Amino acid sequence: MYAKAIILPFLAISTVSAHFTLRHPTPFGPSAAKQDYGPCGGYNLDENTAVTEFHVDGEAIAYSSSHPDVHVLFRVVEGTTANGDLNWSQVFPIVEQFGSGDFCEPMVVAPKDLVGKKGIFQVIQNAVDGMLYACAAVKFVSGSLSTLPDTCRNGTGVDASFSSDSSLEALMSNSPPSASSSQTTSAPTATNTPSEGSIKGLSIVASVFWSTVAVIFGMQL
Ligand SMILES: *[C@@H]1O[C@H](CO)[C@@H](O)[C@H](O)[C@H]1NC(C)=O
Ligand SMILES: *[C@@H]1O[C@H](CO)[C@@H](O)[C@H](O)[C@H]1NC(C)=O
Ligand SMILES: [Cu+2]
């Protein structure tokens, strides 16, 4: 955070060649060259795409980012395409990540009713050079990840806190409302506010947060 003021002037003149690299789950493809192309950074799912198991009660999300200050949305959808007007489920509150380098959230949860289904996990970063996209093909499984992947680590000086981002939130408001509720999009934001700035124990706070959202939405997580 303290480094932001120093780093930002350099960002303005930096190139756009490197953005972020999704490390877990395994992304559609390795290149960030077309990362500003939605929905999946210039890639489509095909028969050669690696499929990673996504544990709905706790999965690791790891990426390496070249930008020292980004807002990030994590979401999943059932099926094999990320195109169109889909029923995305946000799987973690929007975070603001500070410091460039490796970042990992070790306990991200997804809706239990996805177990047994194929889906797509998508990361969208709102970065200094615009919206950046990466997708991974997943198979939803029950339980939580037993061993964290090697790629699940935070770089020195990398930290995060819950945040808000109107551009990223707007993407979620385009999703059709869940079957069980008339979506009250203001509820998560209000719930989120007290935890802004919270850094340690993000996962624990997050599960409380999502439980609250689940109660509000009348869903069973
Ligand atoms: C990385 O930092 C975030 C934010 O502080 C934290 O929630 C997460 O658990 C950390 N990841 C690891 C692997 O320690
Ligand atoms: C949207 O996805 C969630 C999570 O899988 C599911 O519970 C809900 O029923 C879906 N809504 C619609 C309208 O299909
Ligand atoms: Cu970039």
Side-chain angles (χ1 to χ4, degrees), residues 27-52:
F28 281 10
S31 169
K34 293 186 177 172
Q35 206 158 42
D36 52 335
Y37 288 61
C40 292
Y43 288 102
N44 286 309
L45 190 152
D46 62 35
E47 66 274 13
N48 298 318
T49 306
V51 179
T52 309

Side-chain angles (χ1 to χ4, degrees), residues 14-20 35 66-67 70 125 127-130 132:
S14 71
T15 67
V16 296
S17 55
H19 303 295
F20 79 96
Q35 206 158 42
S66 68
H67 296 299
V70 289
Q125 282 195 351
V128 67
D129 46 11
L132 305 170

Side-chain angles (χ1 to χ4, degrees), residues 75-79 81-82 86-89 118-121 140:
R75 61 184 189 172
V76 297
V77 71
E78 184 186 340
T81 178
L86 302 174
N87 179 23
W88 291 99
S89 299
K118 287 180 178 173
I120 291 174
F121 166 77
F140 296 101

Side-chain angles (χ1 to χ4, degrees), residues 103-106 152-154 159-160 199 202-203:
F103 181 71
C104 178
E105 267 309 328
C152 185
R153 60 188 173 230
N154 285 341
D159 216 331
I199 295 165
L202 194 55
S203 302

